[in-house]
Amino acid sequence: MTPADLARQVGESMFAADAASREFMRMELVTCEPGRAVMRMTVREPMLNGHKICHGGFIFTLADSTFAFACNSHNKVAVAAGCTIEFLKPGQLGDVLTCEGIERVLQGRHGIYDMKVTNQRDEVVAMFRGKSAQIAGTVIPQEGA
């Protein structure tokens, strides 16, 4: 199995089990590749805060979910060890937010990943950086793992 095939299968398996992202947030997993993932969601009415813009927690959740798929794409179970987010532009009702997560460093058990959240006009809404830590296990069964 190629690394790309493995990453795709890991993404499909994780997404099928991820009720929070798939059902509650109504995210779409666009792609899961080795060290990279792309997810998308539409800003809906229940996601608006008192200023009638997307609550930052929902934008954070999109970035955090994308981070999870990117850092688990090698089929080694990884969890967040820390993260930061910078909100740069508000999300508006009806905006289609896309988050691309890219692995910057994977060294030993730790990885650094950058997530960029953009709207449908390709304007940057937020930047998120996450640090992952690999723990025991694989996402999907793999011979020799």
Side-chain angles (χ1 to χ4, degrees):
M1 180 179 319
T2 69
D5 290 337
L6 180 60
R8 183 184 45 76
Q9 287 185 18
V10 166
E12 289 171 359
S13 176
M14 284 180 58
F15 194 66
D18 187 351
S21 296
R22 186 175 33 76
E23 295 176 15
F24 182 76
M25 297 291 293
R26 299 185 193 168
M27 292 178 195
E28 170 192 0
L29 177 61
V30 177
T31 189
C32 186
E33 303 167 3
R36 180 178 179 270
V38 178
M39 297 189 80
R40 182 179 299 138
M41 77 174 189
T42 300
V43 178
R44 298 175 285 118
E45 184 90 31
M47 297 175 164
L48 302 182
N49 65 19
H51 300 297
K52 298 295 182 190
I53 58 176
C54 187
H55 191 292
F58 291 111
I59 296 169
F60 178 92
T61 302
L62 174 62
D64 187 48
S65 291
T66 305
F67 172 41
F69 284 91
C71 70
N72 280 276
S73 64
H74 302 291
N75 199 32
K76 294 181 180 169
V77 176
V79 295
C83 62
T84 60
I85 191 165
E86 304 296 330
F87 298 104
L88 304 171
K89 185 171 190 66
Q92 303 292 338
L93 180 63
D95 275 356
V96 177
L97 303 181
T98 301
C99 183
E100 178 183 28
I102 298 176
E103 182 177 275
R104 298 299 183 195
V105 176
L106 183 57
Q107 194 167 281
R109 293 181 42 239
H110 297 282
I112 301 293
Y113 296 77
D114 286 332
M115 263 47 60
K116 178 169 74 171
V117 180
T118 57
N119 62 24
Q120 68 276 10
R121 292 174 297 283
D122 207 31
E123 299 167 326
V124 179
V125 173
M127 295 296 297
F128 171 114
R129 174 163 275 192
K131 177 184 177 189
S132 67
Q134 291 178 355
I135 59 175
T138 59
V139 178
I140 61 174
Q142 187 177 6
E143 286 187 31

